[in-house]
Amino acid sequence: MAYDGIYNVGTVSVAAGGTAVTGVGTAWTYGAQRLVAGDTLAVGGVSLPILAVGDDTHLTLAYPSTVTASGAAYAAILDSGSRTTAGTAATRLQSYLAAAARIEAGVNMYLCAGVLGNTPPASPALDALYVVGTAATGAWAGRANQMAQWGGAAWIFTAPADGDVVLNNGLDFYIWSAAAGSWTYRPITTVVERGTGVGQ
Protein backbone atom coordinates (compact mmCIF):
# COMPACT_ATOMS: atom_id res chain seq x y z
CA MET A 1 0.00 0.00 0.00
CA ALA A 2 1.27 3.47 -0.84
CA TYR A 3 2.28 6.08 1.68
CA ASP A 4 -0.57 8.06 3.21
CA GLY A 5 -2.74 4.97 2.89
CA ILE A 6 -4.40 2.44 5.15
CA TYR A 7 -3.26 -0.99 6.35
CA ASN A 8 -5.97 -3.19 7.89
CA VAL A 9 -4.91 -6.80 7.31
CA GLY A 10 -5.59 -9.17 10.22
CA THR A 11 -7.07 -8.32 13.62
CA VAL A 12 -5.85 -6.69 16.83
CA SER A 13 -6.30 -7.00 20.57
CA VAL A 14 -5.71 -4.28 23.16
CA ALA A 15 -6.83 -3.75 26.76
CA ALA A 16 -8.42 -0.54 28.04
CA GLY A 17 -5.77 1.38 29.94
CA GLY A 18 -2.97 -0.45 28.15
CA THR A 19 -0.61 0.54 25.36
CA ALA A 20 0.42 -2.91 24.09
CA VAL A 21 -1.33 -4.03 20.90
CA THR A 22 -1.11 -7.60 19.59
CA GLY A 23 -1.95 -8.47 16.00
CA VAL A 24 -3.02 -11.74 14.40
CA GLY A 25 -2.38 -12.18 10.69
CA THR A 26 -0.62 -8.81 10.56
CA ALA A 27 2.64 -7.85 8.84
CA TRP A 28 3.48 -4.49 10.39
CA THR A 29 7.17 -4.44 9.45
CA TYR A 30 6.91 -5.73 5.88
CA GLY A 31 7.21 -3.80 2.63
CA ALA A 32 5.86 -0.38 1.70
CA GLN A 33 2.88 -0.76 4.05
CA ARG A 34 5.10 -1.21 7.13
CA LEU A 35 4.08 0.84 10.15
CA VAL A 36 6.37 3.39 11.79
CA ALA A 37 6.29 5.52 14.92
CA GLY A 38 3.86 8.39 14.44
CA ASP A 39 1.35 6.43 12.36
CA THR A 40 -2.15 6.11 13.80
CA LEU A 41 -4.06 3.03 14.96
CA ALA A 42 -7.87 3.24 14.82
CA VAL A 43 -9.81 0.51 16.65
CA GLY A 44 -13.14 0.45 18.45
CA GLY A 45 -13.89 4.03 17.42
CA VAL A 46 -10.71 5.39 19.02
CA SER A 47 -7.65 6.65 17.14
CA LEU A 48 -4.26 6.85 18.87
CA PRO A 49 -0.71 7.51 17.65
CA ILE A 50 1.76 4.63 17.54
CA LEU A 51 4.84 5.05 19.73
CA ALA A 52 6.84 2.06 18.48
CA VAL A 53 6.51 -1.02 16.28
CA GLY A 54 8.15 -4.11 17.78
CA ASP A 55 7.60 -6.66 15.04
CA ASP A 56 4.92 -7.90 12.63
CA THR A 57 2.45 -8.60 15.44
CA HIS A 58 3.37 -6.23 18.28
CA LEU A 59 3.24 -2.46 18.61
CA THR A 60 3.02 0.12 21.40
CA LEU A 61 0.61 3.05 21.51
CA ALA A 62 1.74 6.50 22.60
CA TYR A 63 -1.23 6.78 24.99
CA PRO A 64 -3.34 4.21 26.87
CA SER A 65 -6.30 2.83 24.96
CA THR A 66 -9.75 3.82 26.22
CA VAL A 67 -11.37 0.69 24.79
CA THR A 68 -10.85 -3.05 25.07
CA ALA A 69 -10.75 -4.95 21.78
CA SER A 70 -10.16 -8.65 21.16
CA GLY A 71 -9.69 -10.02 17.66
CA ALA A 72 -11.09 -6.75 16.33
CA ALA A 73 -10.94 -5.12 12.92
CA TYR A 74 -8.74 -2.03 12.81
CA ALA A 75 -7.18 0.53 10.51
CA ALA A 76 -3.54 1.57 10.67
CA ILE A 77 -3.34 5.00 9.07
CA LEU A 78 0.06 5.60 7.49
CA ASP A 79 0.23 9.27 8.40
CA SER A 80 3.48 9.66 10.33
CA GLY A 81 5.22 12.98 9.77
CA SER A 82 8.28 11.03 8.69
CA ARG A 83 6.36 9.96 5.57
CA THR A 84 5.44 13.48 4.49
CA THR A 85 6.52 14.56 1.02
CA ALA A 86 5.21 17.29 -1.24
CA GLY A 87 2.88 14.72 -2.81
CA THR A 88 1.41 13.41 0.43
CA ALA A 89 1.03 16.92 1.82
CA ALA A 90 -0.96 17.86 -1.29
CA THR A 91 -3.17 14.78 -0.86
CA ARG A 92 -3.95 15.68 2.75
CA LEU A 93 -4.74 19.25 1.75
CA GLN A 94 -7.19 18.00 -0.88
CA SER A 95 -8.89 15.85 1.77
CA TYR A 96 -9.41 18.82 4.06
CA LEU A 97 -10.65 20.93 1.14
CA ALA A 98 -13.22 18.21 0.42
CA ALA A 99 -14.38 18.53 4.02
CA ALA A 100 -14.57 22.31 3.67
CA ALA A 101 -16.74 21.90 0.59
CA ARG A 102 -19.24 19.88 2.62
CA ILE A 103 -19.40 22.63 5.22
CA GLU A 104 -20.09 25.23 2.53
CA ALA A 105 -22.84 22.98 1.18
CA GLY A 106 -24.59 23.18 4.54
CA VAL A 107 -23.60 19.77 5.91
CA ASN A 108 -23.01 19.68 9.67
CA MET A 109 -19.47 18.71 10.62
CA TYR A 110 -18.19 18.15 14.16
CA LEU A 111 -14.75 17.62 15.65
CA CYS A 112 -14.89 14.70 18.09
CA ALA A 113 -12.53 13.42 20.76
CA GLY A 114 -13.71 9.84 20.26
CA VAL A 115 -16.13 7.89 18.08
CA LEU A 116 -18.28 4.84 18.90
CA GLY A 117 -16.79 4.16 22.30
CA ASN A 118 -19.18 2.56 24.80
CA THR A 119 -17.77 3.83 28.10
CA PRO A 120 -17.86 7.53 29.05
CA PRO A 121 -14.35 8.91 29.71
CA ALA A 122 -13.53 9.40 33.37
CA SER A 123 -12.24 12.97 33.02
CA PRO A 124 -13.54 14.53 29.80
CA ALA A 125 -12.50 18.04 28.84
CA LEU A 126 -15.18 20.71 29.05
CA ASP A 127 -17.26 20.78 25.82
CA ALA A 128 -15.50 17.65 24.50
CA LEU A 129 -17.71 15.84 21.99
CA TYR A 130 -18.00 12.07 21.51
CA VAL A 131 -20.10 9.74 19.37
CA VAL A 132 -21.67 7.05 21.56
CA GLY A 133 -21.24 3.38 20.59
CA THR A 134 -23.99 0.82 20.15
CA ALA A 135 -23.44 -0.97 23.48
CA ALA A 136 -23.05 2.07 25.72
CA THR A 137 -22.82 1.83 29.49
CA GLY A 138 -23.00 4.18 32.46
CA ALA A 139 -24.17 7.72 31.72
CA TRP A 140 -24.25 6.85 28.00
CA ALA A 141 -26.61 3.86 28.35
CA GLY A 142 -29.56 4.05 25.95
CA ARG A 143 -27.88 6.75 23.84
CA ALA A 144 -26.49 4.57 21.03
CA ASN A 145 -25.12 6.53 18.04
CA GLN A 146 -25.95 9.91 19.60
CA MET A 147 -23.43 12.72 20.05
CA ALA A 148 -22.50 13.31 23.68
CA GLN A 149 -20.95 16.60 24.80
CA TRP A 150 -19.59 17.12 28.30
CA GLY A 151 -21.15 20.20 29.86
CA GLY A 152 -19.06 20.20 33.02
CA ALA A 153 -21.67 18.63 35.29
CA ALA A 154 -23.60 16.34 32.93
CA TRP A 155 -23.62 14.96 29.40
CA ILE A 156 -25.66 16.74 26.72
CA PHE A 157 -26.96 14.38 24.03
CA THR A 158 -27.90 15.20 20.43
CA ALA A 159 -29.33 12.83 17.83
CA PRO A 160 -27.44 13.03 14.51
CA ALA A 161 -29.11 14.27 11.34
CA ASP A 162 -28.77 12.47 8.02
CA GLY A 163 -25.44 13.33 6.41
CA ASP A 164 -23.82 14.66 9.58
CA VAL A 165 -20.05 14.24 9.55
CA VAL A 166 -17.73 13.86 12.52
CA LEU A 167 -13.97 14.23 12.25
CA ASN A 168 -12.38 11.93 14.82
CA ASN A 169 -9.32 13.65 16.33
CA GLY A 170 -8.57 15.15 12.92
CA LEU A 171 -7.71 11.70 11.57
CA ASP A 172 -10.76 10.11 9.97
CA PHE A 173 -14.39 10.74 9.08
CA TYR A 174 -17.61 9.09 10.19
CA ILE A 175 -20.81 9.90 8.29
CA TRP A 176 -24.31 9.32 9.68
CA SER A 177 -26.85 7.59 7.45
CA ALA A 178 -30.42 7.88 8.71
CA ALA A 179 -31.53 5.17 6.27
CA ALA A 180 -28.94 2.68 7.53
CA GLY A 181 -29.18 3.86 11.12
CA SER A 182 -25.40 3.78 11.49
CA TRP A 183 -22.14 5.71 11.18
CA THR A 184 -19.95 4.87 8.19
CA TYR A 185 -16.18 4.94 8.72
CA ARG A 186 -14.23 6.85 6.07
CA PRO A 187 -10.47 7.25 6.72
CA ILE A 188 -9.47 10.74 5.69
CA THR A 189 -6.55 9.39 3.68
CA THR A 190 -8.81 7.32 1.41
CA VAL A 191 -11.16 10.13 0.45
CA VAL A 192 -8.94 11.49 -2.30
CA GLU A 193 -7.31 8.15 -3.18
CA ARG A 194 -10.72 6.80 -4.21
CA GLY A 195 -11.58 9.95 -6.14
CA THR A 196 -14.70 10.59 -4.08
CA GLY A 197 -16.12 13.40 -2.02
CA VAL A 198 -16.29 12.97 1.74
CA GLY A 199 -19.95 12.15 1.72
CA GLN A 200 -20.09 9.89 -1.32
Side-chain angles (χ1 to χ4, degrees), residues 66-171:
T66 57
V67 298
T68 294
S70 179
Y74 73 100
I77 304 167
L78 311 187
D79 60 352
S80 171
S82 65
R83 301 179 185 276
T84 302
T85 64
T88 58
T91 296
R92 291 177 187 173
L93 176 59
Q94 290 176 43
S95 295
Y96 284 107
L97 289 176
R102 283 188 65 84
I103 295 173
E104 290 183 2
V107 174
N108 295 324
M109 180 172 285
Y110 305 90
L111 180 62
C112 288
V115 175
L116 297 180
N118 291 310
T119 304
S123 301
L126 182 64
D127 294 329
L129 186 67
Y130 298 81
V131 173
V132 180
T134 57
T137 61
W140 287 359
R143 300 287 186 170
N145 290 316
Q146 293 186 20
M147 290 179 283
Q149 186 171 28
W150 179 243
W155 290 98
I156 302 168
F157 297 96
T158 304
D162 189 49
D164 277 358
V165 176
V166 295
L167 183 57
N168 184 31
N169 288 309
L171 297 173

Side-chain angles (χ1 to χ4, degrees), residues 45 115-116 164-166 168 172-176 183-186:
V115 175
L116 297 180
D164 277 358
V165 176
V166 295
N168 184 31
D172 39 36
F173 290 104
Y174 287 79
I175 304 170
W176 175 252
W183 292 93
T184 300
Y185 173 60
R186 293 293 300 277

